[in-house]
Amino acid sequence: MPRFEQQYEEWLVSNLKNESNHRRKELLSKGLGHGTVEFLRKVWFPAIGNFDHLFPEWEVRDFNNGYRYLDLAYIPGDAKGGIGIQGYGPHARDLDVRRFKDLCRRHCLLALDSWTFLPIAYPSIIEEPKQCQQLVLSFIGKFIATDVSSTLTWLEAETLRYARRLLRAFTPFELAKHLRVTDRHSRRILHHLVEQQLLDVAGGQQRYRTYQLRV
């Protein structure tokens, strides 16, 4: 069995086994939606490599004492991150005023309850998985300091953490300002990390201009 399929099945069974809430348990027993599974297969697992701290069909309360469910909740420690897979049909093309208002209200409720919410469009999962992986790495970076190799220097390790927190490519000057080193030294760090295939050159030809995390 492929590595993703095996870990996915084990993760889903574990969530079912450990859940006492009958509402969530019933949802989980029906299996996850196609969009959620494809997100896990094409985006989350290739970028992160595990399902630690990730919970499907996570129940949250709304203002009317009802229940809503996040496609995925990422909960390392006391942090609260939510991920929603936005299908093009129901969330865009066929969205009426009532459902649009409800979607906005849902995002407001999550924000007021201290959730960091990441909406991912299903077409992006299929057409732009690498960009989605970049978003997920930045999303993870808001909650935890991802481990880096012990063979890296402190400045190199902090450069990788910096890259993981950003949602875009960055310049040597920006890195130099963050690390409080010279522009020349920041370029040496970046070139070394590119040589180790930990960073990619995002722009520039004659002289490298911007860099981003390799995914």
Side-chain angles (χ1 to χ4, degrees), residues 29-95:
S29 66
K30 296 176 181 177
L32 306 188
H34 171 74
T36 302
V37 175
E38 288 304 292
F39 169 78
L40 293 171
R41 186 196 315 278
K42 297 179 182 296
V43 177
W44 184 275
F45 195 74
I48 308 304
N50 60 63
F51 299 113
D52 297 349
H53 313 298
L54 192 67
F55 302 91
E57 300 293 354
W58 190 255
E59 183 177 283
V60 294
R61 300 294 295 268
D62 66 18
F63 280 150
N64 298 317
N65 289 321
Y67 304 97
R68 293 171 183 261
Y69 295 88
L70 301 177
D71 293 330
L72 295 162
Y74 180 68
I75 311 177
D78 296 328
K80 296 192 292 187
I83 300 172
I85 312 304
Q86 314 291 328
Y88 178 67
H91 287 94
R93 186 185 58 223
D94 303 326
L95 200 64

Side-chain angles (χ1 to χ4, degrees), residues 4-18:
F4 168 78
E5 300 294 344
Q6 180 179 349
Q7 292 204 28
Y8 171 76
E9 291 296 332
E10 292 174 354
W11 171 70
L12 202 55
V13 168
S14 175
N15 271 272
L16 263 168
K17 181 180 178 181
N18 296 323

Side-chain angles (χ1 to χ4, degrees), residues 98-192:
R98 180 185 62 80
R99 292 172 67 189
F100 175 69
K101 293 195 306 185
D102 185 68
L103 181 64
C104 292
R105 187 178 298 115
R106 178 173 182 260
H107 289 181
C108 289
L109 291 170
L110 291 171
L112 292 172
D113 196 28
S114 302
W115 285 86
T116 298
F117 189 67
L118 186 71
I120 300 287
Y122 177 75
S124 294
I125 295 170
I126 303 304
E127 299 166 10
E128 303 159 339
K130 288 292 185 182
Q131 291 185 18
C132 292
Q133 289 171 23
Q134 207 54 66
L135 286 171
V136 162
L137 287 169
S138 296
F139 176 74
I140 292 285
K142 292 182 67 66
F143 303 106
I144 61 173
T146 310
D147 291 338
V148 294
S149 172
S150 59
T151 62
L152 298 178
T153 67
W154 181 87
L155 289 176
E156 290 170 344
E158 181 55 30
T159 297
L160 286 185
R161 295 189 183 100
Y162 178 70
R164 285 170 178 153
R165 290 194 295 268
L166 288 182
L167 295 175
R168 55 174 176 79
F170 59 95
T171 66
F173 177 77
E174 289 176 306
L175 178 65
K177 187 176 179 181
H178 174 72
L179 297 179
R180 299 184 181 181
V181 298
T182 65
D183 182 66
R184 178 175 291 182
H185 190 34
S186 75
R187 288 183 182 277
R188 283 199 294 266
I189 294 169
L190 291 166
H191 291 168
H192 189 217

